[in-house]
């Protein structure tokens, strides 16, 4: 999956000369947390977040004394070292950027112009859709040796029950690097038969650990 499939194309922006008050109103009206700051050619020159706004806005206890500060331009509080992405970047790659840099939004640039934006909420929704967690189904976790062909073996057992696989995630066993954990989501509300088949084939089912299903 690439970024242009999940990015928002209608991006709310401001110019550097707009005021902090403009940014506060825009965030409230649009219910957003980030505003890219652009030049006349739609190039990104900065970014203002709700955190920047909170840091710049006067305390409610001293509002009357400092409310004039809200008329300062957003360029006075914007982040200028903005990390950006490209529409053809892979979603996995930008997810890593979010993780490594601890950011919550990523402006998307093409030909030096802003064409979209991706937020941490967009990534969360994408993760839910990719894993099928929003659809009825059952999750099975199987501990397998870290070697080629194990996913094929697990899928073959599941296919014997005509169960449709919605998604597969793989992560290393934190306790033993010789093993990996396969998280398989299948389109059935009753996974007992599949679990029995997996155990009968010699596989170690971690979840669900159902009473009465022999190991």
């Amino acid at each position: 999956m690439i970024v242009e499939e999940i990015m928002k194309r209608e991006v709310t922006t401001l110019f550097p000369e707009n005021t902090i008050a403009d940014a506060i109103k825009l965030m409230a009206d649009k219910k957003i947390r980030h505003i890219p700051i652009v030049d006349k050619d739609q190039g990104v020159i900065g970014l203002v977040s709700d955190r920047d706004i909170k840091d710049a806005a006067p305390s409610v206890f001293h509002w009357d004394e400092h409310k004039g500060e809200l008329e300062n331009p957003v360029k006075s509080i914007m982040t200028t070292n903005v990390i950006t992405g490209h529409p053809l970047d892979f979603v996995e790659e930008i997810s890593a950027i979010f993780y490594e840099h601890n950011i919550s939004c990523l402006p998307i640039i093409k030909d030096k112009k802003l064409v979209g934006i991706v937020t941490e909420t967009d990534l969360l929704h994408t993760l839910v859709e990719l894993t099928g967690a929003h659809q009825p189904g059952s999750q099975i976790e199987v501990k397998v040796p870290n070697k080629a062909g194990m996913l094929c073996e697990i899928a073959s057992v599941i296919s014997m029950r005509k169960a449709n696989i919605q998604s597969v995630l793989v992560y290393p066993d934190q306790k033993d690097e010789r093993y990996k954990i396969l998280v398989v989501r299948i389109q059935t509300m009753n996974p007992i038969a599949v679990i029995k088949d997996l155990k009968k084939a010699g596989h170690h089912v971690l979840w669900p650990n159902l009473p009465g299903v022999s190991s």
Side-chain angles (χ1 to χ4, degrees), residues 78-199:
M78 70 183 186
T79 298
T80 55
N81 186 21
V82 183
I83 301 172
T84 62
H86 186 276
L88 298 183
D89 287 340
F90 290 111
V91 172
E92 300 95 316
E93 294 172 345
I94 67 161
S95 297
I97 292 174
F98 272 68
Y99 177 80
E100 292 169 6
H101 296 276
N102 194 28
I103 59 177
S104 52
C105 86
L106 192 72
I108 307 303
I109 308 297
K110 182 179 181 181
D111 297 330
K112 299 182 180 181
K113 293 185 177 182
L114 180 68
V115 294
I117 192 169
V118 175
T119 68
E120 56 189 355
T121 300
D122 298 323
L123 291 181
L124 178 59
H125 288 176
T126 300
L127 175 62
V128 170
E129 291 175 359
L130 289 177
T131 58
H134 63 307
Q135 300 175 354
S138 300
Q139 180 173 300
I140 300 175
E141 296 185 14
V142 188
K143 181 177 178 178
V144 299
N146 185 12
K147 63 181 184 180
M150 295 311 303
L151 177 57
C152 181
E153 287 188 24
I154 299 299
S156 295
V157 174
I158 294 174
S159 69
M160 296 298 292
R161 290 286 176 177
K162 308 297 183 183
N164 184 37
I165 296 178
Q166 295 173 312
S167 66
V168 178
L169 296 177
V170 183
Y171 64 91
D173 187 332
Q174 299 297 325
K175 298 178 181 179
D176 192 336
E177 62 182 12
R178 297 174 302 170
Y179 293 89
K180 286 194 173 183
I181 311 299
L182 299 183
V183 183
V184 184
R185 190 167 184 85
I186 59 175
Q187 197 170 4
T188 178
M189 298 304 294
N190 187 354
I192 293 178
V194 174
I195 293 171
K196 286 182 177 179
D197 290 348
L198 287 168
K199 290 186 174 183

Side-chain angles (χ1 to χ4, degrees), residues 3 11 22 39-40 53 60-61 69 116 127 131 138 153-154 163 176 191 194 204:
V3 171
V11 187
D22 293 334
D39 58 23
K40 60 182 178 62
I53 295 294
V60 293
F61 299 106
E69 295 176 6
L127 175 62
T131 58
S138 300
E153 287 188 24
I154 299 299
D176 192 336
V194 174
H204 184 185

Side-chain angles (χ1 to χ4, degrees), residues 3-18:
V3 171
E4 66 179 0
E5 296 180 58
I6 70 168
M7 70 183 188
K8 291 184 176 67
R9 298 176 183 273
E10 296 183 6
V11 187
T12 299
T13 62
L14 286 174
F15 294 112
E17 296 77 19
N18 284 112

Side-chain angles (χ1 to χ4, degrees), residues 39-99:
D39 58 23
K40 60 182 178 62
D41 298 317
Q42 288 300 297
V44 175
I45 59 175
L47 183 72
V48 171
S49 69
D50 57 348
R51 185 181 304 173
D52 298 323
I53 295 294
K54 290 175 183 176
D55 291 341
S59 165
V60 293
F61 299 106
H62 305 283
W63 184 267
D64 291 336
E65 300 174 26
H66 302 283
K67 62 182 180 181
E69 295 176 6
L70 299 182
E71 296 306 313
N72 291 332
V74 291
K75 65 182 179 181
S76 65
I77 65 168
M78 70 183 186
T79 298
T80 55
N81 186 21
V82 183
I83 301 172
T84 62
H86 186 276
L88 298 183
D89 287 340
F90 290 111
V91 172
E92 300 95 316
E93 294 172 345
I94 67 161
S95 297
I97 292 174
F98 272 68
Y99 177 80

